[in-house]
Amino acid sequence: MGSLLFFLPHRGNKVIRWYTLCICIIELLLITYAFSYHFQLDDPLIQLTEDYKWIDFFNFSWRLGIDGISIGPILLTGFITTLATLAAWPVTRECRLFHFLMLAMYSGQIGPFSSQDLLLFFMMWELELIPVYLLLSMWGGKKRLYSATKFFLYTAGSSAFLLMGILGVCLSGSNEPTLNFETLANQSYPVALEILFYIGFFIAFAVKSPIIPLHTWLPDTHGEAHYSTCMLLAGILLKMGAYGLVRINMELLPHAHSIFSPWLIIVGTIQIIYAASTSPGQRNLKKRIAYSSVSHMGFIIIGLGSISDTGLNGAILQIISHGFIGAALFFLAGTSYDRIRLVYLDEMGGMAITIPKIFTTFSILSMASLALPGMSGFVAELIVFWGILTSQKFLLMTKTLITFVMAIGIILTPIYSLSMLRQMFYGYRLFNAPNSYFVDSGPRELFLSICIFLPVIAIGIYPDFVFSLSVDKVEALLSNYFYP
């Protein structure tokens, strides 16, 4: 469908925008319909399957399907991509190519969540690499080529580890070589080999998640990308790495995951503290939000390392919650930049007087980011805390120490969030400037902000909706784990 964009009139930017938006809305409605009428919440097995032979020589199939872990990220992908397309309305340069790349990213991002064949998973994983590179290098900021090259090198390098891990898992099973997820989930490997595979997959997913010290591409990419691209990166791309850790590292390699789980919790805790401490030192608004994303992803790592029903469900809820909040903050940062043409926080100030609607929405969603009770971030982080405290894997003293350090990270979060709001919106710097009149949010931007805000509030008030998707699948997944 996206290829038809090149047959539309070259100067018909409005037609191209509406066509792309309609495709995204139709896709979202189809996903919602399939989920509402054909997905059984109490069935932990793969549903809505599609299985066709592709390459007989490799025993390679076009094999798709969803379960309780993948349905949430798929719905998130459809929702955020639709809103990102609407956010890209002001883009006029090379409009056809821009919107084609947005739709190509849609395919590349929804593919890994639904793939049930490892090689297909890898192909879909790679599919979004070129669109992101082009979107960043053609519509980015002043350092766009540096950021695009850095992104490409990091992600392409991590993909080599992913491919080696896939080939190793495929060829080293006890039965004949297979790429089928369901078959591989029932295979066992020697512990040393499983640890080797786990490390390879972990490096690949750690770059995308991102996990320190492999996170350095993220602030540069977010700092230079157009904000509609940032919405897709923060809302969906980072979640692909976390999903890969659940789907491959946890499900296919349970013994190695049990061995590495204490290290995951240590890395996740360090990540929360490090990113929350680094964020206040960022002058660039989007880089500050990017570091907050790195900090919040630490909770997902800790949830996965807890090896408990509560912790893993909390990690999945954090994947969904941060998808909404991260995308919203980058959108609002972009709309602010459209008006004042400033990226550095120490040059801003007094914006609350001139653009009160943006000030209000930015403040509310920043509160969601710092885990204000009643919003999705609070519930997700609380459930991860509870998952660590109730985990049978760790001693009480260890759990208490981890929880204490995580709490320090949560205390640091309001510092960088509130200081960001203070630098942007309070004071009189811009108000006293000669050109101090700016246009506030229009109907399109207000509609977009409200659309993201509603699920944040809904999940915060009634998180059981998200838990109902994943709870049975999580229970089935963790039945492979045994405690000493």
Side-chain angles (χ1 to χ4, degrees):
M1 294 289 283
S3 302
L4 296 176
L5 281 169
F6 293 105
F7 296 97
L8 295 176
H10 181 65
R11 296 191 177 277
N13 286 351
K14 198 170 184 180
V15 176
I16 290 165
R17 291 176 196 142
W18 277 110
Y19 177 78
T20 310
L21 186 60
C22 286
I23 289 176
C24 291
I25 291 170
I26 291 167
E27 290 282 344
L28 179 59
L29 291 174
L30 285 172
I31 293 168
T32 309
Y33 169 77
F35 161 66
S36 303
Y37 292 99
H38 299 287
F39 186 80
Q40 303 298 319
L41 290 175
D42 55 354
D43 184 1
L45 300 176
I46 300 297
Q47 303 177 50
L48 306 177
T49 54
E50 193 176 285
D51 193 348
Y52 302 105
K53 280 286 184 186
W54 193 346
I55 305 173
D56 283 330
F57 180 74
F58 284 117
N59 192 25
F60 176 37
S61 300
W62 176 271
R63 190 179 289 116
L64 302 174
I66 57 173
D67 61 9
I69 291 174
S70 56
I71 184 66
I74 287 173
L75 284 166
L76 177 72
T77 302
F79 188 76
I80 296 296
T81 306
T82 305
L83 294 183
T85 307
L86 186 59
W89 217 253
V91 175
T92 54
R93 185 169 63 85
E94 297 290 345
C95 191
R96 281 193 303 181
L97 179 59
F98 182 90
H99 286 87
F100 171 76
L101 294 171
M102 293 279 282
L103 291 175
M105 272 189 77
Y106 197 173
S107 303
Q109 290 177 327
I110 214 164
F113 298 131
S114 55
S115 297
Q116 294 301 314
D117 184 282
L118 268 178
L119 195 55
L120 183 61
F121 178 90
F122 176 76
M123 290 173 64
M124 292 295 186
W125 183 271
E126 289 293 279
L127 184 60
E128 51 74 42
L129 181 59
I130 299 300
V132 176
Y133 177 80
L134 292 175
L135 284 167
L136 184 55
S137 60
M138 294 180 69
W139 289 273
K142 292 179 181 178
K143 296 181 180 178
R144 58 185 181 273
L145 292 177
Y146 166 79
S147 301
T149 305
K150 191 172 184 179
F151 167 80
F152 191 90
L153 291 174
Y154 266 79
T155 48
S158 69
S159 297
F161 288 94
L162 179 60
L163 183 59
M164 287 189 289
I166 288 170
L167 293 175
V169 166
C170 168
L171 299 172
S172 303
S174 53
N175 304 319
E176 64 181 36
T178 181
L179 292 160
N180 189 335
F181 265 114
E182 288 185 282
T183 309
L184 290 168
N186 298 316
Q187 288 190 353
S188 58
Y189 311 91
V191 175
L193 201 58
E194 190 168 324
I195 288 172
L196 199 61
F197 294 154
Y198 188 94
I199 292 170
F201 283 122
F202 182 79
I203 291 171
F205 300 138
V207 171
K208 276 275 170 67
S209 290
I211 298 173
I212 58 170
L214 302 173
H215 69 289
T216 55
W217 63 270
L218 184 72
D220 290 321
T221 302
H222 276 310
E224 300 302 322
H226 187 268
Y227 57 87
S228 58
T229 310
C230 288
M231 290 175 71
L232 296 178
L233 290 170
I236 307 161
L237 191 81
L238 307 190
K239 312 307 174 282
M240 287 167 56
Y243 176 81
L245 288 171
V246 178
R247 177 63 72 203
I248 294 181
N249 287 52
M250 282 195 75
E251 193 166 2
L252 302 189
L253 308 167
H255 296 97
H257 184 75
S258 188
I259 293 167
F260 278 99
S261 59
W263 297 104
L264 281 182
I265 288 178
I266 291 169
V267 168
T269 309
I270 293 171
Q271 180 159 330
I272 292 170
I273 300 291
Y274 167 78
S277 305
T278 310
S279 185
Q282 301 300 315
R283 291 179 63 223
N284 186 308
L285 170 60
K286 290 202 286 185
K287 284 190 177 182
R288 182 171 292 196
I289 299 171
Y291 271 102
S292 77
S293 293
V294 175
S295 180
H296 289 300
M297 294 301 287
F299 287 95
I300 298 173
I301 309 305
I302 290 170
L304 302 185
S306 68
I307 315 185
S308 66
D309 285 10
T310 313
L312 185 51
N313 278 306
I316 292 168
L317 181 61
Q318 177 73 340
I319 287 172
I320 306 300
S321 167
H322 185 261
F324 289 120
I325 296 169
L329 289 176
F330 278 111
F331 167 70
L332 291 167
T335 56
S336 303
Y337 174 76
D338 281 348
R339 283 153 175 80
I340 62 174
R341 292 291 161 181
L342 297 173
V343 293
Y344 294 112
L345 286 161
D346 50 13
E347 296 174 356
M348 301 180 191
M351 287 165 55
I353 302 168
T354 53
I355 43 177
K357 291 175 187 174
I358 292 177
F359 164 61
T360 305
T361 50
F362 213 128
S363 299
I364 292 170
L365 285 155
S366 294
M367 296 300 165
S369 177
L370 60 82
L372 190 73
M375 300 192 185
S376 59
F378 171 76
V379 182
E381 293 177 14
L382 179 66
I383 299 296
V384 171
F385 265 107
W386 192 251
I388 279 288
L389 290 171
T390 57
S391 174
Q392 301 173 40
K393 175 82 177 171
F394 305 99
L395 298 172
L396 179 61
M397 183 60 72
T398 308
K399 293 189 287 191
T400 308
L401 181 62
I402 290 165
T403 309
F404 176 75
V405 178
M406 287 170 66
I408 295 173
I410 290 182
I411 293 167
L412 291 171
T413 305
I415 295 174
Y416 65 73
S417 293
L418 296 177
S419 67
M420 178 178 71
L421 291 176
R422 177 184 58 79
Q423 287 177 278
M424 288 179 69
F425 296 108
Y426 294 93
Y428 299 96
R429 183 177 282 111
L430 284 179
F431 184 62
N432 289 332
N435 301 317
S436 60
Y437 177 75
F438 303 103
V439 179
D440 205 356
S441 275
R444 175 184 61 87
E445 292 162 330
L446 270 180
F447 171 77
L448 211 152
S449 301
I450 291 167
C451 281
I452 298 185
F453 177 63
L454 288 177
V456 170
I457 284 287
I459 294 171
I461 294 171
Y462 188 68
D464 203 43
F465 170 70
V466 178
F467 291 140
S468 66
L469 302 178
S470 61
V471 66
D472 289 307
K473 176 61 183 177
V474 165
E475 192 176 330
L477 192 155
L478 291 178
S479 63
N480 295 326
Y481 288 82
F482 304 97
Y483 301 103

